[in-house]
């Protein structure tokens, strides 16, 4: 006799769509980039690590990034090689740590770099707060740039002095936002 079992199945082919890219200059040496991804499947029905793995495997966040350039290019994930990233590189953090991390990054004093104006900072934080309403999970890319030229992952890596990446999984509107903060 065989019994029917309830089997949780994952879609073989997630229909991930790049819905938009929005950039915001923070000052002469820094920018914020918001990448908006949408899905046909209900986010809350699938484990977040599966979504992150699919986003990486499909190259949805593959791009080259310098201060004034953001180009979608297969094999490059900002300053990192795409093939070297895995879903476990994204660490889940709570909302409080997410906002503390963002504020620490944008308020940090940097040599030969102006501070972000209060107006620009307020506009930036308002935009983030709009993306993070209700039922949201936060992830941070737990990978740092190398200070040594020999250890740069690819030729564009040296163009950035800082790179920060956050994933915002908003279950209430079924969207994923990737927030990139880059400084040269």
């Amino acid at each position: 006799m065989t019994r029917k079992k309830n089997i949780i199945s994952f879609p073989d082919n997630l229909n991930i769509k790049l819905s938009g890219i929005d950039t915001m200059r923070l000052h002469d040496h820094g920018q914020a980039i918001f990448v908006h991804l949408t899905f046909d499947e209900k986010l809350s029905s699938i484990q977040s690590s599966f979504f992150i793995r699919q986003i990486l495997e499909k190259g949805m966040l593959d791009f080259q990034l310098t201060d004034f350039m953001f180009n979608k290019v297969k094999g490059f994930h900002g300053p990192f090689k795409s093939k070297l990233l895995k879903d476990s590189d994204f660490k889940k953090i709570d909302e409080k740590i997410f906002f503390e991390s963002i504020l620490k990054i944008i308020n940090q004093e940097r040599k030969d770099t102006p501070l972000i104006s209060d107006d620009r900072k307020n506009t930036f934080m308002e935009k983030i707060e709009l993306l993070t309403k209700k039922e949201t999970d936060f992830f941070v890319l737990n990978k740092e740039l190398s200070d040594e030229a020999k250890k740069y992952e690819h030729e564009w890596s040296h163009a950035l002095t800082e790179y920060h990446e956050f994933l915002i999984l908003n279950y209430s509107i079924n969207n994923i936002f990737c927030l990139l903060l880059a400084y040269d």
Side-chain angles (χ1 to χ4, degrees), residues 10-16 39-41 46 50 54 58:
F10 293 111
D12 292 332
N13 188 13
L14 287 176
N15 191 12
I16 304 170
F39 295 84
D40 292 337
E41 293 77 14
I46 301 175
F50 181 76
Q54 290 294 303
K58 292 178 181 284

Side-chain angles (χ1 to χ4, degrees), residues 28-112:
D28 289 344
H29 298 284
Q31 66 177 327
I33 300 168
F34 298 88
V35 181
H36 178 205
L37 303 173
T38 57
F39 295 84
D40 292 337
E41 293 77 14
K42 194 82 174 132
L43 281 178
S44 58
S45 66
I46 301 175
Q47 190 174 20
S48 56
S49 61
F50 181 76
F51 270 116
I52 294 170
R53 190 169 37 257
Q54 290 294 303
I55 289 168
L56 293 173
E57 286 176 10
K58 292 178 181 284
M60 295 307 295
L61 297 175
D62 280 5
F63 54 88
Q64 288 179 330
L65 173 68
T66 64
D67 183 37
F68 294 103
M69 182 182 77
F70 182 86
N71 292 324
K72 194 136 175 61
V73 179
K74 188 152 183 64
F76 299 95
H77 187 102
F80 308 113
K81 289 183 180 174
S82 302
K83 66 183 178 184
L84 299 178
L85 289 177
K86 49 196 176 300
D87 62 302
S88 60
D89 290 326
F90 288 87
K91 177 183 164 193
K92 188 173 182 179
I93 56 176
D94 67 27
E95 182 177 9
K96 181 180 178 193
I97 292 173
F98 170 76
F99 279 101
E100 286 173 355
S101 299
I102 296 293
L103 288 170
K104 181 180 176 187
I105 293 166
I106 64 172
N107 288 326
Q108 181 180 336
E109 290 189 29
R110 294 167 177 86
K111 184 178 179 186
D112 299 326

Side-chain angles (χ1 to χ4, degrees), residues 99-163:
F99 279 101
E100 286 173 355
S101 299
I102 296 293
L103 288 170
K104 181 180 176 187
I105 293 166
I106 64 172
N107 288 326
Q108 181 180 336
E109 290 189 29
R110 294 167 177 86
K111 184 178 179 186
D112 299 326
T113 302
L115 292 175
I116 300 170
S117 72
D118 287 339
D119 285 345
R120 178 63 56 176
K121 190 184 310 181
N122 290 337
T123 302
F124 173 69
M125 292 307 294
E126 285 172 9
K127 183 169 181 115
I128 290 175
E129 287 170 6
L130 286 172
L131 304 177
T132 61
K133 299 222 180 220
K134 296 185 204 174
E135 300 178 55
T136 305
D137 282 339
F138 303 91
F139 295 83
V140 61
L141 179 59
N142 198 19
K143 194 168 167 120
E144 294 183 6
L145 290 173
S146 173
D147 288 334
E148 299 177 44
K150 291 179 184 176
K151 293 187 180 181
Y152 289 133
E153 289 191 17
H154 62 77
E155 67 275 11
W156 291 101
S157 299
H158 70 279
L160 300 176
T161 58
E162 281 183 53
Y163 177 82

